[in-house]
Amino acid sequence: MAIFGTGGVGGYLGARLAEAGQEVVLIARGAHLEAIRRHGLRLESIAGDAEVRPALATDDPAEAGPADSVIVATKTWQLREAARALGPMVGPETTVLPVLNGVEAADVLAEALGRERVLGGLCGMISFLVGPGRIRHTGADPWVTFGELAGSMTERVRRLEETLRRCRGLRVEATTEIHVALWEKFAFITATGGVGAVTRAPMGAFRSVPESRRLLEDAMREVVEVARARGVSIRDEVVAERMRLVDGLEPHGTSSMQRDILAGRRSELEEWNGAVVRLGREAGVETPAHASMYAALLPQELRARGELSFPEAPGTAS
């Protein structure tokens, strides 16, 4: 089992798999990689800490060689580069499972590696890299859902399900409706991420203000409409269910995209709200809520990418 991208999600899964006795290869880089090589990987979790030493930690996929399964857990904007680099790890029988946010990861990997090697997947947990060799899990019961892109239930899916179920505290679901699962999560993350970043407020604040709450609901409905226009049968109850989920989350919670944008880092804006706008346009669906949020956040995103320059605190005209 290999993990490509050993940040908050990949590091969590890699640590739990190694803890369960699985032979794990971690693809990481920089100081994080060096710390793992020297001291192992430390997981600080509300579900129980773990310190593990992977079978191999490297930044060279060729050194890792072909794996039975590769879990891809990079940021979405890193995925195309990762797909090109993955080649040496993918043999004739390798299964590639992306657990990134968004609805296009499997297509990107399939284009580079072959559709027959790729599953659809998603996950949920609040975990992040806090220092070299250290992952912290602070909230949400971790879960992973995955399945064949064609909607069948296959032996390789069952094998991977069995392997992941050995991980302590991880809820695992193999599904024949992976596209529905991906789009339902997409409705939640793009709405909360976009509204959080635009308002610069945590969930407890923007969900309690009627105007920003309506924006949140409108953004979710747009994703549902785009999904249906693209042939994905999302249930009518999804928006109400996701709003109840928002109401049940800790009030100080923020999304990863929101945190990245507010910290001036490159974010997943293009693959979240930008993707809703682009995929909606392709399907003939108007997405005004996402279009407005995308436009408002794009200058900050372009500055983080080094494509636009402006002062942190612009002066006022005299």
Side-chain angles (χ1 to χ4, degrees):
M1 175 74 73
I3 308 289
F4 196 105
T6 314
V9 170
Y12 182 93
L13 294 174
R16 289 300 188 212
L17 284 161
E19 180 187 43
Q22 185 73 26
E23 186 175 287
V24 176
V25 174
L26 301 180
I27 304 297
R29 60 187 179 184
H32 186 42
L33 171 61
E34 292 307 311
I36 294 171
R37 283 172 166 169
R38 288 197 305 270
H39 309 297
L41 179 64
R42 176 170 176 77
L43 172 63
E44 302 163 3
S45 171
I46 58 174
D49 297 347
E51 289 191 42
V52 300
R53 287 194 173 272
L56 174 67
T58 180
D59 58 2
D60 183 4
E63 181 183 1
D68 293 336
S69 301
V70 181
I71 295 176
V72 182
T74 63
K75 291 286 191 180
T76 50
W77 54 267
Q78 299 171 318
L79 183 59
R80 292 193 182 276
E81 180 184 349
R84 291 191 293 269
L86 268 169
M89 302 177 68
V90 179
E93 303 299 322
T94 301
T95 298
V96 180
L97 172 62
V99 290
L100 291 71
N101 288 312
V103 294
E104 299 175 290
D107 291 334
V108 171
L109 290 169
E111 181 181 341
L113 305 170
R115 196 169 185 84
E116 71 282 0
R117 294 188 174 92
V118 181
L119 302 176
L122 61 157
C123 69
M125 65 188 74
I126 301 174
S127 59
F128 43 89
L129 183 69
V130 291
R134 292 175 57 214
I135 305 295
R136 183 170 296 158
H137 165 227
T138 60
D141 294 331
W143 56 267
V144 176
T145 299
F146 59 95
E148 294 284 356
L149 299 175
S152 55
M153 185 58 67
T154 60
E155 180 60 30
R156 68 173 179 172
V157 167
R158 290 300 190 198
R159 286 197 304 269
L160 187 55
E161 180 185 29
E162 182 181 349
T163 297
L164 289 170
R165 283 189 185 279
R166 296 172 188 154
C167 295
R168 175 164 49 138
L170 183 66
R171 178 164 55 87
V172 181
E173 180 185 3
T175 180
T176 57
E177 295 187 331
I178 188 60
H179 298 288
V180 173
L182 285 165
W183 278 91
E184 288 187 356
K185 183 184 179 187
F186 198 47
F188 173 80
I189 63 169
T190 58
T192 55
V195 174
V198 167
T199 62
R200 306 174 72 86
M203 288 190 191
F206 66 67
R207 73 191 180 199
S208 67
V209 176
E211 291 81 1
S212 53
R213 187 179 183 88
R214 281 196 295 273
L215 177 61
L216 190 67
E217 291 181 280
D218 288 345
M220 290 187 188
R221 289 193 187 96
E222 288 179 1
V223 175
V224 170
E225 291 172 6
V226 173
R228 288 175 172 170
R230 297 179 68 87
V232 180
S233 300
I234 293 190
R235 297 168 298 115
D236 292 336
E237 302 82 10
V238 164
V239 172
E241 289 175 358
R242 293 305 181 268
M243 290 302 296
R244 286 196 293 272
L245 176 59
V246 170
D247 288 336
L249 292 173
E250 295 180 352
H252 61 270
T254 57
S255 78
S256 60
M257 189 186 83
Q258 177 182 356
R259 293 191 297 272
D260 285 339
I261 288 176
L262 295 186
R265 298 187 293 264
R266 183 169 182 173
S267 77
E268 296 178 296
L269 176 67
E270 202 67 53
E271 294 81 13
W272 289 21
N273 307 89
V276 176
V277 176
R278 172 171 46 80
L279 295 173
R281 187 183 305 119
E282 292 174 2
V285 176
E286 294 292 326
T287 56
H290 284 281
S292 296
M293 291 188 290
Y294 176 69
L297 296 169
L298 190 55
Q300 296 287 338
E301 178 66 21
L302 293 175
R303 181 168 66 174
R305 296 184 210 164
E307 298 174 21
L308 185 65
S309 178
F310 56 89
E312 183 67 33
T316 55
S318 58

